[in-house]
């Protein structure tokens, strides 16, 4: 707790600053989603309905830190596993949402702000009667298109150890101290103006030991029940997003589904599939530049390894980029070197902070076939009150089997990230969705 204290002061400052005078009710209109394009909101945006109501941000910040760490453990533990269950049910949900989209479920539609998650396979909704969920619940009994899934139905075969309650496909799972009870279900969901009938999702009935995303989660991973798999004919495994800054006052980001209206000209890197973790979006990170200097990072630190699952993933749910220790050290040391004799401090989990204004060169991720140069807003976290800026990245937790580099959402903000799965490529281009 004490260790985190300076960090939440930082967040307190950053967030309270950005909230000053921004959340005028008339600026918070929720525009209708256009065809095949959903608005993306940052959960802490001043207009976000899921924003913590309390003026004090401490609780939220502590939670963010804990959940980012838990997410890293979730991602790396799955990589280290010998065999991967098609759906790692319980584990997918131990995380806080960062970006949310509006999804309508059932007939007549019930509306939810679901967390967007590129590293999860399935969709989840807290359902009526749920013990341990929030107050926004999906009511299956009010939907004429809702269907239970029977235990002997083919869809139930993807579930690890289903418990057949009255021949319904239900399951109780425990992971760490966390227990999840859910029923596999089907209903029509509507994304923007597209109705998708018979969408399979987990209807959560019990959640203890951790909080689930308050209005559910929409998995955009590559597994059997992800959005991509369930909308093959409609969206052809193609989507892109622009994640707005957490400072954004509006619902200004977007999630574009399907090949139409995707960027025509951008730089791409090859999309890789790692059999150790087939749901994740792996890319080949070859090196990192600070300014024009290519850092001296041993290639094996970044190397893609299908045998042990090591490599680099693009993830929408982790907040701060994590690099294998030697890679992080190289970035950190070069920034420190450039800052010369300026007095360095640390703040919570960040170990390289300086008094503002600071002048550091850009940071470039050198992917196979594509160099992506980050703007300072993508790698510096500013505290306005204490006038400190920190390098907003850190080292991946040590894992003897396989270290994962995670390109996280702060580093993707204000970029269009295009997942073109049929062509095995990911494109990244600057786009101001503020
Ligand atoms: C808000 O925070 C204050 C002080 O931290 C606390 O006393 C109060 O109960 C909180 N309110 C809510 C609605 O959580
Ligand atoms: C699963 O959870 C439900 C609801 O809490 C409970 O009624 C049921 O007995 C549990 N089943 C098993 C096999 O633990
Ligand atoms: C990326 O930058 C490096 C070093 O500046 C350069 O050698 C390389 O050709 C660039 N790659 C691409 C795809 O532009």
């Amino acid at each position: 707790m004490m260790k985190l204290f300076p960090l939440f002061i930082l967040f307190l400052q950053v967030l309270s600053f950005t909230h000053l005078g921004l959340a005028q009710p008339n600026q918070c209109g929720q525009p209708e989603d256009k065809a095949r394009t959903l608005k993306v909101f940052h959960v802490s945006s001043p207009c976000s309905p899921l924003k913590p109501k309390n003026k004090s941000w401490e609780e939220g910040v502590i939670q963010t830190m804990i959940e980012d760490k838990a997410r890293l453990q979730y991602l790396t533990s799955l990589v280290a596993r010998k065999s991967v269950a098609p759906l790692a049910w319980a584990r997918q949900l131990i995380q806080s949402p960062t970006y949310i989209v509006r999804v309508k479920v059932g007939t007549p539609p019930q509306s939810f702000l679901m967390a967007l998650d590129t590293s999860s396979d399935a969709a989840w909704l807290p359902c009526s009667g749920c013990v341990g969920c929030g107050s926004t619940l999906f009511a299956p009994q009010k939907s004429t298109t809702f269907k239970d899934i029977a235990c002997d139905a083919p869809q139930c075969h993807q579930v690890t150890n289903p418990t057949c309650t009255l021949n319904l496909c239900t399951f109780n799972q425990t992971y760490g101290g966390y227990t999840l009870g859910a029923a596999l279900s089907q209903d029509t969901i509507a994304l923007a103006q597209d109705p998708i009938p018979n969408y399979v999702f987990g209807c959560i009935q019990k959640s203890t030991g951790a909080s689930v995303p308050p209005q559910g989660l929409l998995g955009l991973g590559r597994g059997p029940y992800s959005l991509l798999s369930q909308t093959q004919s409609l969206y052809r495994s193609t989507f892109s997003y622009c994640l707005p800054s957490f400072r954004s006052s509006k619902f200004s980001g977007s999630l574009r589904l399907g090949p139409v209206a995707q960027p025509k000209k951008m730089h791409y890197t090859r999309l890789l599939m790692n059999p150790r973790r087939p749901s994740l979006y792996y890319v080949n990170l070859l090196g990192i530049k600070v300014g024009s200097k290519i850092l001296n990072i041993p290639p094996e630190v970044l190397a893609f390894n299908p045998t042990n699952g090591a490599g680099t993933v693009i993830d929408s749910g982790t907040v701060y980029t994590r690099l294998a220790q030697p890679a992080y050290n190289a970035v950190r040391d070069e920034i420190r070197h450039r800052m010369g004799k300026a007095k360095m401090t640390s703040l919570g989990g960040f170990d390289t902070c300086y008094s503002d204004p600071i002048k550091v060169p850009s940071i470039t991720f050198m992917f196979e076939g594509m160099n992506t140069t980050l703007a300072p807003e993508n790698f510096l976290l500013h505290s306005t009150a204490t006038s400190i800026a920190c390098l907003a990245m850190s080292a991946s937790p040590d894992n003897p089997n396989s270290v994962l580099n995670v390109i996280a959402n702060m580093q993707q903000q204000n970029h269009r990230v295009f997942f073109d799965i049929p062509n095995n490529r990911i494109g990244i281009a600057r786009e101001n969705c503020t």
Side-chain angles (χ1 to χ4, degrees):
M1 287 286 278
M2 290 313 290
K3 269 196 173 155
L4 286 173
F5 188 69
L7 187 68
F8 49 78
I9 294 292
L10 169 78
F11 270 82
L12 190 68
Q13 302 313 340
V14 170
L15 293 169
S16 58
F17 171 73
T18 58
H19 284 67
L20 275 180
L22 286 177
Q24 314 292 336
N26 58 350
Q27 289 183 294
C28 290
Q30 289 167 17
E32 274 299 301
D33 292 321
K34 291 203 210 89
R36 309 236 156 149
T37 301
L38 284 81
K39 294 278 172 190
V40 175
F41 321 139
H42 193 289
V43 78
S44 303
S45 132
C47 291
S48 165
L50 296 187
K51 166 171 70 95
K53 289 205 171 51
N54 213 324
K55 282 275 184 281
S56 152
W57 285 88
E58 286 93 332
E59 283 304 315
V61 169
I62 294 170
Q63 208 52 35
T64 300
M65 293 288 297
I66 292 168
E67 283 165 349
D68 220 10
K69 200 173 163 207
R71 185 177 179 84
L72 257 294
Q73 276 159 1
Y74 153 68
L75 295 175
T76 50
S77 72
L78 285 176
V79 163
R81 275 166 63 101
K82 279 218 161 60
S83 66
V84 176
L87 291 167
W89 292 104
R91 278 180 283 197
Q92 301 199 344
L93 279 169
I94 313 175
Q95 50 203 275
S96 61
T98 312
Y99 288 100
I100 46 182
V101 292
R102 187 176 300 282
V103 179
K104 295 190 177 122
V105 186
T107 314
Q110 302 172 38
S111 190
F112 297 90
L113 292 168
M114 295 175 81
L116 195 66
D117 189 344
T118 54
S119 298
S120 285
D121 288 336
W124 298 91
L125 274 174
C127 285
S128 317
C130 176
V131 177
C133 295
S135 55
T136 304
L137 300 169
F138 174 62
Q141 67 278 14
K142 292 190 184 150
S143 171
T144 56
T145 41
F146 179 84
K147 291 179 200 138
D148 291 308
I149 289 177
C151 232
D152 51 11
Q155 293 97 326
C156 198
H157 297 160
Q158 297 289 347
V159 180
T160 320
N161 305 322
T163 18
C164 297
T165 319
L166 305 168
N167 193 34
L168 298 182
C169 184
T170 58
F171 47 93
N172 288 353
Q173 284 194 1
T174 301
Y175 175 69
Y178 176 56
T179 303
L180 176 78
L184 202 61
S185 309
Q186 272 184 313
D187 206 337
T188 299
I189 69 166
L191 299 169
Q193 288 145 14
D194 300 326
I196 301 155
N198 300 318
Y199 200 87
V200 177
F201 60 94
C203 203
I204 306 171
Q205 292 160 343
K206 184 176 70 175
S207 164
T208 55
S211 55
V212 295
Q215 299 192 19
L217 179 143
L218 187 64
L220 293 177
R222 303 161 92 176
Y225 284 136
S226 83
L227 175 67
L228 271 58
S229 307
Q230 296 196 54
T231 58
Q232 277 282 1
S233 55
L234 189 57
Y235 301 134
R236 307 194 182 283
S237 297
T238 305
F239 68 97
S240 72
Y241 56 61
C242 184
L243 304 176
S245 160
F246 67 91
R247 292 165 181 267
S248 168
S249 62
K250 300 200 192 94
F251 296 131
S252 51
S254 65
L255 169 66
R256 272 188 216 142
L257 299 164
V260 179
Q262 297 297 356
K264 295 283 176 283
K265 271 179 73 178
M266 70 193 318
H267 293 289
Y268 295 96
T269 188
R270 191 157 56 103
L271 173 64
L272 303 169
M273 157 81 82
N274 197 316
R276 283 296 177 154
R277 187 62 176 111
S279 298
L280 298 186
Y281 294 101
Y282 278 84
V283 291
N284 203 358
L285 178 64
L286 302 172
I288 302 173
K289 280 196 281 189
V290 171
S292 59
K293 181 177 178 185
I294 299 175
L295 302 178
N296 186 10
I297 300 169
E300 63 272 19
V301 170
L302 300 175
F304 175 76
N305 185 335
T307 309
N308 69 8
T312 301
V313 300
I314 306 255
D315 181 38
S316 68
T318 310
V319 181
Y320 303 111
T321 286
R322 301 280 184 141
L323 298 170
Q325 190 81 55
Y328 175 69
N329 290 356
V331 174
R332 179 197 69 187
D333 292 349
E334 184 60 24
I335 296 283
R336 290 179 179 179
H337 174 70
R338 301 286 179 120
M339 292 302 296
K341 292 206 165 62
K343 188 172 178 297
M344 194 182 71
T345 56
S346 65
L347 215 43
F350 301 115
D351 64 5
T352 300
C353 309
Y354 295 94
S355 289
D356 246 340
I358 73 170
K359 228 179 132 48
V360 290
S362 57
I363 293 179
T364 301
F365 291 126
M366 298 163 65
F367 298 108
E368 181 186 313
M370 171 179 83
N371 290 337
T372 300
T373 297
L374 302 179
E377 64 154 357
N378 294 120
F379 64 89
L380 289 179
L381 194 58
H382 294 274
S383 151
T384 48
T386 55
S387 295
I388 276 179
C390 296
L391 173 63
M393 298 183 187
S394 57
S396 292
D398 225 12
N399 181 324
N401 300 318
S402 63
V403 175
L404 204 55
N405 299 291
V406 181
I407 309 296
N409 64 41
M410 181 177 171
Q411 280 66 43
Q412 297 174 50
Q413 285 170 13
N414 285 321
H415 287 81
R416 171 74 40 193
V417 184
F418 176 29
F419 296 77
D420 185 1
I421 287 97
N423 294 307
N424 275 313
R425 58 186 188 172
I426 287 187
I428 302 182
R430 281 285 252 294
E431 179 178 318
N432 204 358
C433 58
T434 56

